[in-house]
Amino acid sequence: MIIERADVIVTSPDRNFVTLRLETSDGHVGLGDATVNGRELAVVSYLRDHVVQLLIGRDASRIEDTWQFLYRSAYWRRGPITMAAIAAVDMALWDIKGKAAGLPVYQLLGGASRTGLLAYGHASGRDNEELFDSVRKHQAEGYKAIRIQAAVPGLTSIYGIASNATFEANKGARYDHEPAQRGAFPAEEDWDTRSYLRHIPTVFEAVRNEFGPEIPLLHDGHHRMTPIQAASLGKSLEPFDLFWLEDLTPAENPEALRLVRQHTTTPLAIGEIFNTVWDYQQIIREQLIDYVRGAVTHMGGISHLKKTLEYAAQYQIKSGMHGPTDISPVGMAAAMHLGLSIHNFGIQEYMKHGAATDSVFEQSFTWADGMLHPGDEPGLGVALNLDEAGRYPYEQAYLPYNRLADGTVHDW
Ligand code: CS2
Ligand code: MG
């Protein structure tokens, strides 16, 4: 099972995706997701210019050895670009191993630990009425757990909220900048943490009054608070029994969560921009979080995220893998196989991809009654339609950024 061919495919059906496609001497094809939202071509270069030639002629069955070789031989370790490139190779090799064995990848990882994966979707609205519509739309699509993001009075545009046109088009199932906005410069939004902290508890109170106590509710703070502000938010949301509060403080200082923990029992999730187990080491050991947000795509692949989650399991910390649409269908499939097999699965984020994306990536996962299942096709269960992929060339796109009222650039 020798790797004979390695191609990096960039396609932009609803958004940009970077996919590594490996072919072996015995005819197996393996796919890996290497998409880093807004910085896609950096990973393309890392793979095409530095990795592909190292793969040709290697034994495709040696997944762990290939991971260690790519990680340790580069000298420059960690970081989103390196770890997404390694992730793509790792995913593609698991895909090939599954195909060679005639088994879905979750069987190679130990088999199913559950019947399906509880998934959450993203509801948003400019006011409570719109937000309720968006929650109802998600419930009608089967979602049993829902992330709640709301506009803040006085702020004209904030991330995660659908504006007029977007809301009308999809009842809040997609928001502005989802997918990232195509163009040569990022859009600018505004931000004010004090207004946000005043407003958000009123939104959760209204949602609980409307939808009752049972539905698991989540919220994302997008790294915008100081530790004491984050502590205050966690405390003020305690009466509304959140499933988790995500990314409250900037990820560079994970020990900031110590202070948040001292003040609130609201469960905490972090790590969608983390790349290795070392980013998590301290906050797992000190039990400063409840959910690991890392994506297979950004955490060095199935092999490395599995190790991270097994370390987390020793501390009763569960998975909450990142799953917005910038995780490609290949990355989502990898998350589903891993999530199905580990003991400490928590929840899976799931934003549906668009029709064009689904035509490029033929998928075999199922979505029923609020639960995902990767299916039983050998490997990851995703096929890349190269003709369709070729119809959607790369287009530059950026996530937005935000400024305070006085013009200061704020945290993402
Ligand atoms: C978000 C993402 O899904 C989430 O929790 O934080 O939408 C995030 O903004 C994008 O994935 C950025 O690439
Ligand atoms: Mg997030």
Side-chain angles (χ1 to χ4, degrees):
M1 223 170 45
I2 300 301
I3 302 171
E4 278 190 348
R5 196 177 162 155
D7 296 289
V8 183
I9 291 126
V10 186
T11 178
S12 191
D14 300 293
R15 67 179 319 134
N16 294 314
F17 293 113
V18 180
T19 310
L20 177 69
R21 183 182 182 278
L22 302 182
E23 242 179 85
T24 64
S25 48
D26 41 0
H28 294 301
V29 170
L31 299 177
D33 177 24
T35 308
V36 174
N37 199 3
R39 295 292 185 272
E40 296 87 357
L41 299 187
V43 201
V44 173
S45 165
Y46 192 104
L47 283 167
R48 275 193 191 144
D49 299 335
H50 304 288
V51 173
V52 157
Q53 70 199 67
L54 307 178
L55 298 177
I56 307 300
R58 284 187 77 81
D59 178 352
S61 67
R62 297 182 64 181
I63 302 179
E64 180 67 19
D65 181 68
T66 303
W67 196 98
Q68 300 296 344
F69 165 64
L70 292 177
Y71 186 78
R72 293 175 199 282
S73 70
Y75 185 68
W76 306 103
R77 297 182 182 188
R78 307 186 287 171
I81 306 303
T82 298
M83 297 312 290
I86 295 177
V89 176
D90 183 80
M91 261 181 255
L93 293 182
W94 278 105
D95 194 15
I96 288 169
K97 197 177 274 295
K99 285 169 178 164
L103 291 170
V105 167
Y106 76 83
Q107 292 291 7
L108 306 181
L109 299 174
S113 288
R114 58 195 50 77
T115 54
L117 308 171
L118 175 69
Y120 75 91
H122 291 196
S124 79
R126 284 163 304 169
D127 54 32
N128 288 347
E129 204 180 309
E130 272 190 5
L131 178 61
F132 294 171
D133 276 1
S134 176
V135 172
R136 284 191 201 99
K137 180 174 163 66
H138 281 84
Q139 288 180 315
E141 289 178 4
Y143 284 100
K144 297 272 188 282
I146 300 184
R147 180 179 104 155
I148 299 290
Q149 304 295 125
V152 174
L155 298 183
T156 48
S157 159
I158 62 174
Y159 185 74
I161 316 296
S163 68
N164 222 344
T166 321
F167 194 88
E168 288 320 316
N170 61 42
K171 283 277 175 283
R174 282 278 186 284
Y175 38 86
D176 295 359
H177 313 300
E178 173 41 53
Q181 184 174 287
R182 287 174 171 161
F185 204 80
E188 188 177 302
E189 303 195 312
D190 47 359
W191 185 248
D192 182 290
T193 308
R194 290 187 66 236
S195 311
Y196 165 78
L197 292 177
R198 272 198 309 275
H199 184 63
I200 288 301
T202 72
V203 173
F204 275 90
E205 183 175 22
V207 172
R208 279 287 178 224
N209 287 340
E210 182 71 15
F211 295 98
E214 290 296 333
I215 181 166
L217 298 176
L218 303 88
H219 180 69
D220 194 340
H222 292 301
H223 305 114
R224 292 180 185 194
M225 282 156 268
T226 64
I228 202 71
Q229 289 168 334
S232 145
L233 180 66
K235 210 162 149 177
S236 63
L237 291 177
E238 277 173 20
F240 313 115
D241 186 27
L242 267 64
F243 186 95
W244 80 33
L245 259 181
E246 173 188 347
D247 287 348
L248 295 182
T249 52
E252 296 92 322
N253 270 342
E255 71 275 10
L257 297 175
R258 276 191 201 140
L259 188 139
V260 183
R261 273 295 213 220
Q262 282 160 14
H263 292 278
T264 180
T265 56
T266 298
L268 302 179
I270 199 166
E272 70 182 42
I273 65 168
F274 288 5
N275 315 121
T276 67
V277 70
W278 294 284
D279 297 328
Y280 282 105
Q281 206 170 37
Q282 180 189 8
I283 56 176
I284 288 177
R285 195 176 53 233
E286 293 187 27
Q287 291 183 290
L288 300 182
I289 57 167
D290 301 281
Y291 296 93
V292 165
R293 285 285 286 145
V296 176
T297 310
H298 303 128
M299 280 286 294
I302 292 173
S303 303
H304 192 70
L305 185 53
K306 182 171 163 63
K307 289 173 188 169
T308 307
L309 290 171
E310 279 165 359
Y311 177 48
Q314 296 173 36
Y315 298 88
Q316 294 173 287
I317 296 168
K318 295 187 174 187
S319 72
M321 286 178 244
H322 196 209
T325 62
D326 46 292
I327 304 297
S328 90
V330 178
M332 282 301 292
M336 289 183 227
H337 286 278
L338 183 56
L340 197 69
S341 63
I342 52 172
H343 176 249
N344 57 330
F345 171 80
I347 199 166
Q348 175 63 52
E349 182 179 23
Y350 173 47
M351 282 185 87
K352 294 179 179 174
H353 286 114
T357 300
D358 291 343
S359 74
V360 171
F361 297 93
E362 292 153 13
Q363 300 155 69
S364 55
F365 77 95
T366 56
W367 165 244
D369 209 22
M371 310 283 267
L372 291 163
H373 190 287
D376 284 301
E377 292 285 317
L380 291 173
V382 183
L384 180 64
N385 183 328
L386 289 171
D387 292 338
E388 280 295 308
R391 292 180 51 210
Y392 302 103
Y394 168 80
E395 284 185 58
Q396 187 147 48
Y398 285 103
L399 282 158
Y401 78 110
N402 63 84
R403 289 183 188 271
L404 307 179
D406 69 357
T408 308
V409 174
H410 191 60
D411 290 307
W412 199 87

